[in-house]
Structures are given as structure tokens and as C-alpha cells.
Amino acid sequence: MLEETASKDPNEEVLNELLEVYAAMSSKKKIISVLKKLIKLDPEDITSRYQLAELYDKIGYNKSATTQYLELLERVDNRDRLPIYKSLGYIYSKRGINKRAISYYLKAAKLDKKDANLYYNLSYLYEKTKQKEQADAYLEKAVRLNSKDVGARLELAQKLVHKGDLKKAEKYIAEILKKKPSSLEALMLKAKVAEKRGQKKELE
């Protein structure tokens, strides 16, 4: 009955009722169809557009999701853009469009300076685009927010020893050994630093 009514008079009330039915049925294609009709009725319908973008993302329609998120950016206030920036960064990353992914993650990081995952994502993407200095800088920001990440600290310490920045490397090695006193990798790095410094007693 709702489908018949919607085909004759696709008003907002009927479409929303139909949307509830399709949601209960978990019929994604029909949900998409109704959401598109709601947006056609009212292009400024933020809620429906957001639902459509998230659903496209969930089922792997990355280009369609991107289009909807970009449309949302034009319609929401600055304070509501953070989750959209994060979603666009993630989708562009999945699509292998790394420069755009970086640009949206950077916009998100300006709004949320305490999300370590943003910095991990930026580090990964800068590494993929062969921007090593930037990759290391964002990995450092990430570990500052994530005190439990021993692996990333070890990676940074190894790079710093290789570059000859022993003082900074020692800082990360100390943080690792505080968490894992018997870490063989950290102890070997500590020995390497002592060797480079000519600290024979420390090395022994």
C-alpha cells in the first residue's frame, strides 16, 4: 500500500514511512531508492543525504558515497564538517587517491587535535607518497597521544638512530623499556646508541 501511494504521491511523510519498512526488511537497494527520492523532494535534507552517503560507503559504492559527502560539505556548518572530512579521507584512501585523502585528513586534524588515528592515517599516506619526513612527523604526533603504542615508538627510534638523532632516539627507547623492560629490540637499539656515543661501560 505504501509503495503504491509513494508511486502516485511521493510526499515526505509516505516516503519516511516506507523508509522505516525497508529498514526493518534490511533492503539496502530499496532504502537507497527512497533516500534518493527524499533528497529529490528536498535537496537540503541533510539527514537523508547523510544516511545515503553512509549506506553507499557501507556497501562499497565509494564514488557515490564521495559525491554525497561532497554535497554535504556545501550544506553544513564548519562545526559539523569533522565526521565528513574523516569519511572523505577514508574513502579517498580506499580509492587510492592519496593526495585528496591527505587533504581531508589534514582538515579533520585541524578540528580534532586529539584523534591519534588521524595522525596514524596521515603518517601511512605520507609514507605511501614517499614523503618520509612528513610520515615520521605525524607518527610522532600519533604516539604522543597513544602511550601504549610500543611498535610505533620502536619504528621511530630505529629511524632516528639511522639518521643520527641519538638524543631523540634515546627518549623513545626509554619509553619502550618503561613499558617492556625486556624488549630485545629496544635493548639492541640502546646498545647501538651507546656504541655510537663511545660509551663502553654503558655498552657492556
Side-chain angles (χ1 to χ4, degrees):
M1 286 175 64
L2 282 169
E3 284 176 340
E4 188 177 342
T5 305
S7 65
K8 292 177 181 177
D9 178 24
N11 63 72
E12 188 178 342
E13 185 180 348
V14 172
L15 288 173
N16 276 318
E17 287 181 27
L18 197 55
L19 188 63
E20 286 182 24
V21 174
Y22 290 150
M25 293 167 58
S26 298
S27 178
K28 293 184 177 65
K29 285 187 178 179
K30 289 187 175 182
I31 292 170
I32 288 171
S33 173
V34 174
L35 288 171
K36 286 167 78 172
K37 286 175 182 175
L38 282 166
I39 292 167
K40 190 175 181 180
L41 279 177
D42 179 11
E44 302 305 315
D45 181 352
I46 301 299
T47 303
S48 295
R49 198 178 288 279
Y50 216 119
Q51 286 179 304
L52 184 59
E54 287 183 325
L55 187 52
Y56 275 142
D57 189 7
K58 190 174 181 180
I59 63 178
Y61 287 17
N62 296 325
K63 287 185 179 180
S64 297
T66 301
T67 300
Q68 294 305 320
Y69 279 126
L70 289 172
E71 289 284 347
L72 278 166
L73 276 183
E74 295 180 7
R75 291 170 166 80
V76 300
D77 296 331
N78 284 335
R79 62 184 178 180
D80 298 320
R81 289 182 174 182
L82 177 60
I84 301 172
Y85 287 150
K86 289 181 179 181
S87 295
L88 282 168
Y90 175 66
I91 292 171
Y92 277 124
S93 179
K94 280 198 299 184
R95 292 174 63 187
I97 308 175
N98 295 326
K99 286 185 179 179
R100 284 194 186 175
I102 287 170
S103 73
Y104 282 108
Y105 276 138
L106 286 173
K107 287 176 181 180
K110 282 184 179 179
L111 297 176
D112 186 357
K113 294 179 171 60
K114 293 185 178 180
D115 185 348
N117 286 326
L118 285 173
Y119 298 132
Y120 282 119
N121 291 336
L122 282 164
S123 176
Y124 168 76
L125 288 165
Y126 277 122
E127 191 75 39
K128 285 203 77 172
T129 54
K130 302 188 186 306
Q131 298 177 74
K132 305 290 185 185
E133 292 295 326
Q134 290 283 56
D136 292 349
Y138 280 101
L139 189 56
E140 285 188 39
K141 287 187 176 188
V143 299
R144 278 203 292 271
L145 291 168
N146 185 0
S147 61
K148 295 179 181 178
D149 192 345
V150 171
R153 280 175 168 76
L154 186 63
E155 182 184 339
L156 284 167
Q158 288 168 337
K159 289 179 178 180
L160 288 163
V161 169
H162 181 72
K163 287 195 289 188
D165 192 344
L166 304 182
K167 186 176 180 181
K168 208 169 182 181
E170 282 179 315
K171 172 179 165 288
Y172 286 117
I173 294 167
E175 289 175 1
I176 295 166
L177 291 173
K178 190 175 180 181
K179 294 279 183 188
K180 294 179 68 177
S182 58
S183 169
L184 181 60
E185 294 95 336
L187 290 168
M188 288 175 69
L189 271 179
K190 191 176 175 73
K192 188 174 282 188
V193 170
E195 183 180 14
K196 285 179 176 289
R197 288 189 182 281
Q199 297 169 328
K200 292 183 180 180
K201 288 185 179 179
E202 179 74 7
L203 180 58
E204 286 172 12

